[in-house]
């Protein structure tokens, strides 16, 4: 599509165009002086900011790849890097700093009245890119029918704009611009649906930048419609999810250096945001952490998709978003059915304790790998359960923020159906529904009238999620590690000094979750395991990141509580003996 075609499309879709630039009032951000020094000039050319322990090679038939030159053990930090561009998703803009992405913001940009910061320092550090963004956001507010609550452009549009602003700020021939331009693009292999979405995104970006003519985009290095589509393709293929240390998704991040690492469904490294002090200039920092042994000459690989998904869904996502078929060992084993993948498994219909492959068009039966019994009659029922389960997971995902109560009800009902069909906790879509249900129960805890019952239900669901994650993810995977910590924190809830014997109900170890001392001990056990995994997931030197530090502090508190509890038991026993001496 040509630039003229984009403009015609824009005018046809929207009578009141956002590209009309209002007359400038000449005002600047009152909190950010306009005489800030410009960023230091960069020399022409670039090199990826890779450590000496890594080597970039071009592999025939595969492209660029990163190989290790040293041995690394799980928990070793391989790479620490601040992304070139970060952007908060729209709901998180008022909650997190637009520079360091920490919570508890206190300062809003007085010009655009949209983005927030920790303090003036973060606002000044962000000004190099926000200065141009600020003008765009002011224009959006001016043209909005509701200027107090304007419609903020989508995350992708604002991220693409920031990429463009970074190239202008440092210069189109700078190292930063060349790094961003070097991102891999699938422009020549876009599907029809991708072409449509790219055209819509291009239209929205042109509007946001306020471009009136093709020449208005040349300063960003965009000289044709092809350049515009290429930029969007690079963004779509190379963007990482910006998360908090506890893996909550809050936005998008772009890092050309970290985009060099190839994919595997059995990665030996993970990308995480372990956290750093509030207002740190290097935040938010992405850390590449080793989670499996890496030897010299080994390729360092990460995962582009959720590896709790079964083979067919991972394959479809990778093909659609990245244009390749994964040939990692896990995918090869799954494709050749060399083992039963717990992501797509059911318990033996004969209840021998073994597990079986889920039925497929080629094998329309359930066959246990232990007792070898086949159950053709079970295949149709399991197939129906899988179809219903996937539809329910899609619906729960769509409703969990807008109608959480209804979403939780759907999840509970379908979890029961899939469980009765014999699905294992690690299988899809049961694990996905369990994780969604756990999220919905956790977020509704503060609003519940029957807090204790809901808390116990949440803990029981969290245990099932953990069982599923243990089946499909390796030791030290961030999702496993964080879930261990969340489960430990849930078990510790309400089990404080107020429950010391004599002040509360007695300990009951016959139900799960237990109460009293047994519950505190359960919390301690989960948190100890969480700390072991967090040290791997977020790095030993980082002490397991912010989550690991919080777990350590909580363990110290709980161990003190347990000491008080035990001392209380001794005192109560002595008082009982004194009141009822032997006769």
């Amino acid at each position: 599509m040509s630039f003229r075609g984009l403009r015609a499309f824009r005018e046809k879709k929207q009578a009141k165009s956002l590209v009309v630039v209002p007359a400038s009032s000449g005002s600047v951000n009152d909190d950010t002086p306009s005489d800030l020094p410009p960023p230091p000039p960069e020399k022409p050319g670039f090199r990826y900011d890779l450590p000496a322990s890594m080597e970039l090679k071009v592999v025939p038939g595969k492209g660029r790849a990163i190989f290790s030159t040293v041995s690394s053990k799980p928990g070793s930090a391989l790479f620490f890097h601040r992304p070139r561009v970060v952007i908060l998703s729209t709901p998180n803009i008022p909650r997190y700093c637009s520079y360091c992405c920490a919570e508890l913001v206190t300062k809003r940009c007085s010009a655009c009245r949209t983005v927030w910061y920790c303090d003036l320092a973060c606002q000044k550090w962000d000004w190099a890119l926000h200065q141009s963004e600020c003008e765009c956001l002011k224009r959006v507010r001016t043209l909005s029918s509701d200027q107090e609550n304007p419609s903020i452009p989508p995350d992708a549009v604002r991220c693409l704009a920031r990429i463009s602003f970074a190239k202008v700020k440092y210069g189109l021939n700078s190292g930063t611009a060349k790094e961003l331009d070097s991102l891999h693009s699938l422009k020549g292999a876009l599907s029809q649906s991708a072409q449509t979405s790219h055209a819509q995104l291009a239209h929205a970006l042109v509007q946001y930048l306020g471009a009136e003519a093709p020449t208005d985009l040349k300063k960003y290095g965009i000289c044709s419609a092809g350049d515009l589509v290429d930029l969007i393709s690079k963004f779509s293929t190379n963007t990482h999810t910006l998360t908090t240390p506890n893996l909550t998704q809050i936005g998008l991040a772009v890092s050309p250096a970290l985009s060099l690492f190839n994919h595997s469904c059995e990665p030996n490294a993970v990308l995480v945001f372990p956290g750093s002090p509030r207002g740190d200039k290097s935040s938010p920092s992405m850390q590449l952490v080793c989670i499996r042994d890496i030897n010299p000459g080994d390729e360092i690989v990460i995962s582009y998709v959720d590896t709790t998904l079964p083979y067919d869904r991972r394959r479809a996502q990778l093909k659609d978003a990245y244009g390749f078929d994964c040939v990692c060992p896990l995918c090869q084993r799954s494709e050749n059915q060399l083992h039963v993948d717990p992501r797509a498994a059911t318990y033996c219909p004969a209840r021998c304790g073994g597990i079986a492959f889920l039925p497929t068009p080629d094998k329309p039966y359930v066959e246990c790998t232990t007792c070898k019994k086949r159950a053709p009659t079970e295949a149709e029922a399991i197939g129906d359960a899988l179809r219903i389960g996937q539809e329910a997971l899609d619906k729960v995902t769509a409703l969990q923020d807008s109608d959480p109560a209804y979403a939780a009800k759907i999840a509970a009902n379908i979890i029961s159906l899939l469980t009765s069909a014999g699905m294992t906790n690690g299988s899809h879509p049961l694990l996905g529904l369990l994780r969604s249900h756990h999220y919905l129960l956790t977020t509704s805890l503060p609003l519940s009238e029957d807090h204790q019952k809901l808390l116990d239900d949440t803990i029981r669901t969290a245990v099932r999620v953990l069982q599923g994650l243990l089946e499909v993810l390796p030791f030290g995977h961030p999702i496993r590690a964080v879930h261990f910590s969340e489960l430990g924190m849930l078990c510790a809830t309400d089990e404080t000094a107020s429950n010391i014997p004599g002040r509360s109900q007695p300990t009951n170890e016959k139900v799960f979750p237990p109460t009293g001392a047994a519950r505190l001990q359960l919390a301690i056990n989960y948190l100890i395991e969480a700390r072991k995994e967090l040290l791997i997931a977020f790095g030993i030197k980082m002490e397991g990141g912010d989550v690991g530090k919080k777990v350590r502090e909580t363990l110290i508190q709980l161990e003190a509580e347990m000491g008080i509890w035990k001392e209380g038991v001794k005192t109560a026993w002595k008082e009982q003996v004194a009141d009822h001496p032997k006769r």
Side-chain angles (χ1 to χ4, degrees):
M1 179 180 289
S2 66
F3 186 93
R4 179 176 297 178
L6 286 174
R7 186 173 183 182
F9 178 78
R10 178 183 71 236
E11 293 172 349
K12 180 179 178 181
K13 293 288 287 183
Q14 185 173 350
K16 186 177 180 180
S17 175
L18 292 182
V19 300
V20 179
V21 184
S24 173
S25 62
S27 62
V28 297
N29 188 335
D30 297 336
D31 300 319
T32 309
S34 58
D35 59 350
L36 284 176
E42 298 189 20
K43 296 180 180 179
F46 75 99
R47 68 174 184 83
Y48 293 105
D49 193 18
L50 295 173
S53 58
M54 297 179 187
E55 184 179 8
L56 173 62
K57 296 181 181 180
V58 176
V59 180
K62 191 174 184 178
R64 296 176 299 185
I66 302 294
F67 292 84
S68 178
T69 60
V70 299
S71 296
S72 298
K73 294 294 182 182
S76 303
L78 305 176
F79 195 8
F80 203 71
H81 173 74
R82 189 184 197 278
R84 291 297 186 191
V85 172
V86 294
I87 203 81
L88 294 170
S89 57
T90 300
N92 291 308
I93 291 176
R95 298 180 52 200
Y96 295 89
C97 174
S98 281
Y99 181 81
C100 75
C101 300
E103 287 190 90
L104 302 175
V105 293
T106 60
K107 199 168 193 61
R108 184 171 68 169
C109 174
S110 59
C112 67
R113 293 187 290 158
T114 301
V115 303
W116 288 78
Y117 298 99
C118 295
D119 49 32
L120 185 59
C122 275
Q123 188 175 19
K124 287 183 176 180
W125 291 331
D126 194 46
W127 185 243
L129 293 185
H130 181 61
Q131 184 174 15
S132 299
E133 178 185 59
C134 193
E135 294 300 320
C136 294
L137 291 172
K138 284 194 297 183
R139 182 167 54 251
V140 169
R141 182 178 292 275
T142 301
L143 296 171
S144 174
S145 58
D146 183 358
Q147 294 192 14
E148 290 303 315
N149 298 288
S151 178
I152 299 175
D155 308 347
V157 173
R158 290 184 288 110
C159 192
L160 281 163
R162 277 224 163 195
I163 292 173
S164 302
F165 299 151
K167 291 169 66 175
V168 171
K169 200 67 183 178
Y170 291 102
L172 297 181
N173 290 320
S174 66
T176 296
K178 290 183 179 296
E179 271 193 346
L180 292 167
D181 288 339
S182 72
L183 292 170
H184 182 62
S185 170
L186 295 176
K187 182 180 70 172
L190 295 177
S191 64
Q192 186 62 45
S193 60
Q195 290 179 24
T196 302
S197 65
H198 280 39
Q200 292 171 345
L201 195 52
H203 158 67
L205 177 61
V206 170
Q207 277 190 323
Y208 183 56
L209 294 176
E212 286 286 311
T215 53
D216 295 339
L217 296 176
K218 285 186 177 180
K219 65 179 179 181
Y220 304 115
I222 301 172
C223 300
S224 66
D227 290 342
L228 195 56
V229 173
D230 194 40
L231 170 64
I232 294 170
S233 178
K234 290 175 179 178
F235 160 80
S236 301
T237 308
N238 296 280
T239 305
H240 300 283
T241 301
L242 175 66
T243 73
T244 63
N246 68 357
L247 305 184
T248 300
Q249 299 182 8
I250 60 172
L252 303 173
V254 178
S255 170
L258 291 172
S259 295
L260 294 170
F261 293 89
N262 286 324
H263 165 84
S264 171
C265 297
E266 283 189 328
N268 53 24
V270 290
L271 288 173
V272 292
F273 291 85
S276 55
R278 181 170 176 259
D280 188 342
K281 192 172 184 178
S282 65
S283 296
S285 291
M286 296 177 78
Q287 182 166 277
L288 184 70
V289 184
C290 171
I291 60 170
R292 302 180 196 265
D293 287 337
I294 298 176
N295 298 314
D298 288 349
E299 184 182 359
I300 303 174
V301 287
I302 60 176
S303 178
Y304 295 175
V305 296
D306 181 359
T307 54
T308 65
L309 296 174
Y311 165 71
D312 57 338
R313 293 197 167 269
R314 297 196 311 271
R315 186 183 182 89
Q317 287 188 7
L318 290 167
K319 189 68 173 179
D320 182 58
Y322 303 99
F324 68 84
D325 294 319
C326 184
V327 292
C328 74
L330 176 61
C331 287
Q332 290 181 332
R333 292 196 303 270
S334 298
E335 184 177 21
N336 298 322
Q337 292 199 327
L338 299 178
H339 76 135
V340 179
D341 188 347
R343 299 165 180 82
T346 182
Y347 290 113
C348 172
R351 303 294 187 266
C352 79
I355 57 175
F357 290 101
L358 290 175
T360 65
D362 296 333
K363 295 182 178 180
Y365 52 81
V366 176
E367 180 179 7
C368 177
T369 56
T370 302
C371 69
K372 305 301 180 182
K373 179 177 179 180
R374 290 187 180 183
T377 57
E378 299 283 344
E380 185 175 352
I382 291 175
D384 290 341
L386 287 171
R387 176 181 54 79
I388 294 171
Q390 185 59 55
E391 291 174 356
L393 179 57
D394 293 339
K395 193 165 188 177
V396 167
T397 303
L399 292 175
Q400 65 182 11
D401 293 324
S402 59
D403 193 349
Y406 184 45
K409 185 176 180 179
I410 295 173
N413 290 337
I414 304 304
I415 285 170
S416 178
L417 172 67
L418 296 178
T419 302
S420 63
M423 308 295 294
T424 63
N425 285 329
S427 63
H428 181 85
L430 179 54
L431 180 55
L433 281 166
L434 285 169
R435 292 174 69 183
S436 293
H437 196 220
H438 171 246
Y439 166 78
L440 291 164
L441 291 174
T442 302
T443 53
S444 64
L445 272 173
L447 307 176
S448 173
E449 294 181 0
D450 192 354
H451 178 83
Q452 192 60 50
K453 180 181 182 302
L454 182 58
L455 177 60
D456 290 349
D457 288 343
T458 306
I459 291 172
R460 284 189 283 268
T461 302
V463 169
R464 291 194 64 183
V465 173
L466 179 62
Q467 291 169 346
L469 294 177
L470 293 178
E471 292 176 8
V472 300
L473 296 178
F475 180 86
H477 192 284
I479 293 177
R480 264 181 57 154
V482 169
H483 190 77
F484 256 121
S485 70
E486 291 176 347
L487 181 51
M489 297 293 184
L490 282 171
C491 290
T493 303
D494 294 340
E495 296 300 323
T496 56
S498 62
N499 286 334
I500 294 174
R503 305 185 195 175
S504 170
Q505 60 180 347
T507 298
N508 185 351
E509 299 183 20
K510 295 182 180 180
V511 297
F512 188 87
T515 58
R519 189 173 181 126
L520 260 189
Q521 188 59 56
L522 187 66
I524 290 172
N525 292 343
Y526 281 134
L527 291 176
I528 288 174
E529 291 303 313
R531 181 159 170 77
K532 292 177 184 177
E533 298 220 13
L534 288 165
L535 289 173
I536 302 300
F538 293 93
I540 295 172
K541 289 186 177 180
M542 289 292 293
E543 300 182 61
D546 285 1
V547 178
K549 294 170 187 175
K550 184 177 180 181
V551 165
R552 181 177 179 276
E553 293 171 359
T554 305
L555 273 171
I556 293 172
Q557 295 172 0
L558 291 181
E559 288 171 353
E561 293 287 350
M562 184 62 80
I564 295 173
W565 197 306
K566 291 178 179 178
E567 188 62 32
V569 170
K570 290 179 183 178
T571 302
W573 176 254
K574 289 178 181 179
E575 291 175 352
Q576 185 177 10
V577 171
D579 293 341
H580 303 282
K582 290 183 178 180
R583 300 189 180 216

